[in-house]
Amino acid sequence: IGRLEWLGLFDQEKKVEAATTLDAVCDLFLNNPKFWYEPGETDMICMHHTFIVEKADGKKEKITSTMVDYGIKNGDTSMSRLVSLPLAIHIRRILKGEAKETGVVRPVEAEIYNPILDEMEQKFNVKFHEVATPL
């Protein structure tokens, strides 16, 4: 709570004119220098997933998948790149006729996520490192 107070999120003097709570939080972020990056400062995104998998033959294994990415100094943040680039890659695939899905789809099928992950690795050096351990 102390850090949220330090950021001014509970400030009773600052009045935010916003239609929604989300708009109010965005206003606080945009107008509060404590949220701004200093010159040369970057962000970092870490993702770590653990899966327990049972294969068709009954054998089990634990798979961990880890990715660490850093923002570009004085450039794009890691967060902005890791949110926008996968979407942009898939939109391009749709426009080129390479993606056959229609409507709103979640990227849980290999034919959707593999091309995105491949391009993220090849063009942007973003890669998940996987380790499989038999159980």
Side-chain angles (χ1 to χ4, degrees), residues 50-71:
T50 301
F51 305 95
I52 304 298
V53 177
E54 184 173 348
K55 299 191 173 196
D57 63 3
K59 293 182 181 175
K60 292 183 180 181
E61 65 181 13
K62 178 174 85 170
I63 300 172
T64 59
S65 181
T66 305
M67 182 274 304
V68 177
D69 184 68
Y70 297 90

Side-chain angles (χ1 to χ4, degrees), residues 96-112:
K96 292 172 83 175
E98 297 171 357
K100 58 184 177 265
E101 303 81 14
T102 59
V104 177
V105 295
R106 295 181 304 149
V108 295
E109 301 294 332
E111 58 268 6
I112 297 175

Side-chain angles (χ1 to χ4, degrees), residues 22-83:
L22 178 59
D23 291 336
V25 172
C26 288
D27 181 69
L28 288 171
F29 286 8
L30 291 173
N31 296 311
N32 185 342
K34 293 176 182 176
F35 284 100
W36 303 347
Y37 289 110
E38 294 292 329
E41 187 177 19
T42 63
D43 65 336
M44 176 180 73
I45 300 294
C46 301
M47 295 178 73
H48 182 79
H49 306 282
T50 301
F51 305 95
I52 304 298
V53 177
E54 184 173 348
K55 299 191 173 196
D57 63 3
K59 293 182 181 175
K60 292 183 180 181
E61 65 181 13
K62 178 174 85 170
I63 300 172
T64 59
S65 181
T66 305
M67 182 274 304
V68 177
D69 184 68
Y70 297 90
I72 299 167
K73 193 179 274 192
N74 298 316
D76 294 328
T77 63
S78 179
M79 178 65 83
S80 68
R81 292 182 326 111
L82 295 182
V83 169

